[in-house]
Amino acid sequence: MAGAREGALEAGLARVVPYEGRFAPDLVEICWRTGLMGESLEGSGRFEDRRLFAMLFCLPYASFEPESCFVALAPRDPARPEAGERAVGYIVGSSRAAAQARDFERRWQPRIAARLFLYDWWRHPESFAQALRFARVARAEEAAAAKEPGPGRPLLGGPEFPALLHINLLPEWQGRGLGGLLMAAFLGRLRELGCPGVYLETSDRNLKALPFYRKLGFEELGGASGAAPEPGEFWAGLPARGIAMGLRL
Ligand SMILES: CC(C)(COP(=O)(O)OP(=O)(O)OC[C@H]1O[C@@H](n2cnc3c(N)ncnc32)[C@H](O)[C@@H]1OP(=O)(O)O)[C@@H](O)C(=O)NCCC(=O)NCCS
């Protein structure tokens, strides 16, 4: 892995830059190709509406706090420099996860609802069904006080861990050091802001992400089980244990 990583970066093939709105279409694609617990939704029969999927899991962060989001850029076609660059990976998040969640409710939920009812129910019924499931499960989690502190479990988005992140790279660009670079850019920004800690949510099925996070020093948050609520109902047929992890800065 180290050889490939040094090769790609030393050859100047890819670089990490701050997010700009023009990268949004690339984010939609990356999110959809890696969003099913690290794997593509292609052929899964879930969320064929790619933009809707990114409206739930990616774009709201880039819109709320773009100055804290970063993309990995690479040539569209290495043989034709004139074809320009595209984003092949991103880290999106917020130094103020609680405020971002309120922004999501205020600005994004109405857009998501409009898209569902005007467009998805007839064009992408599977996206419609999954999004409704998501809304139900997310609400049930809140009701179960999933994000509340418990014995040995800090409040996610609270004073100890106010920041949240999501990181995704296209499969062909994984394992080349870009994840580490994206994370370094994001954590550097959080440190500049004086942010004390960052959390993320993943699952025990994401065998790519877990070793990566552990290597970077993230630890499971939580009481005895260290578990966040199970996302199994959201991804029906894919039972998985939700895992919240945190890093103190
Ligand atoms: C998880 C992900 C972001 C990691 O990015 P990456 O570019 O592949 O990781 P890097 O090559 O930068 O690796 C950084 C470090 O983590 C280690 N690492 C990465 N993946 C690893 C793995 N599967 N096993 C062990 N170590 C791993 C690397 O060895 C490296 O350590 P080093 O610098 O000491 O050599 C990337 O694989 C990805 O986008 N996966 C799909 C989307 C996803 O699952 N996102 C997370 C959702 S919760």
Side-chain angles (χ1 to χ4, degrees), residues 51-107:
R51 188 165 178 90
L52 176 76
F53 190 65
M55 287 168 81
L56 287 165
F57 296 111
C58 166
L59 296 177
Y61 300 97
S63 154
F64 180 70
E65 199 173 321
E67 64 279 14
S68 298
C69 299
F70 298 87
V71 294
L73 288 186
R76 275 182 203 286
D77 178 354
R80 289 193 316 119
E82 68 278 10
E85 292 176 308
R86 65 175 176 143
V88 296
Y90 63 73
I91 189 161
V92 296
S94 172
S95 61
R96 300 178 295 129
Q100 191 276 327
R102 288 192 293 276
D103 180 72
F104 178 79
E105 275 172 25
R106 193 171 55 82
R107 289 199 308 127

Side-chain angles (χ1 to χ4, degrees), residues 8 10 21 32 39 52 62 78 112 120 130 139 141-143 150 154 193 195 200 207 222 244:
E10 276 171 13
W32 196 80
E39 304 299 330
L52 176 76
I112 290 167
D120 274 290
Q130 289 284 329
R139 235 175 252 135
E141 284 180 358
E142 273 163 31
L193 294 171
C195 187
L200 59 88
L207 301 179

